[in-house]
Amino acid sequence: MSTSQRLLAAFWILAGLNHFRVPKVYESIMPDYVPAHRQMVIWSGVAEIVGGVAVISPGTRTFARWWLFGVLAAVYPANVHM
């Protein structure tokens, strides 16, 4: 596992865990049209952790690539709204 892969995995895992540490920060940047802010924050945190863990194993990196692209697309509206 390369240094960049370790950093990528750590970034996504820590970012996902942060959704549980300070959920109100993430809820505050969500657009009003997105329902169930708290649940969406939790699920997006889980999705980020799953993607980060998937980066670790060579056998799941292709899955991780597409999974994390999907996560980025899903959270994009909140980032634009922020």
Side-chain angles (χ1 to χ4, degrees), residues 8-9 11-13 47-55 61-75:
L8 182 66
F11 169 81
W12 284 105
I13 292 168
E48 290 177 5
I49 294 167
V50 167
V53 170
V55 169
R61 284 192 192 129
T62 299
F63 166 79
R65 174 191 318 143
W66 295 110
W67 181 265
L68 290 170
F69 280 152
V71 170
L72 287 171
V75 302

Side-chain angles (χ1 to χ4, degrees), residues 20-38:
F20 297 94
R21 195 172 71 78
V22 287
K24 291 199 182 296
V25 170
Y26 294 94
E27 290 174 37
S28 70
I29 67 168
M30 294 185 71
D32 293 335
Y33 63 83
V34 175
H37 286 185
R38 175 60 60 108

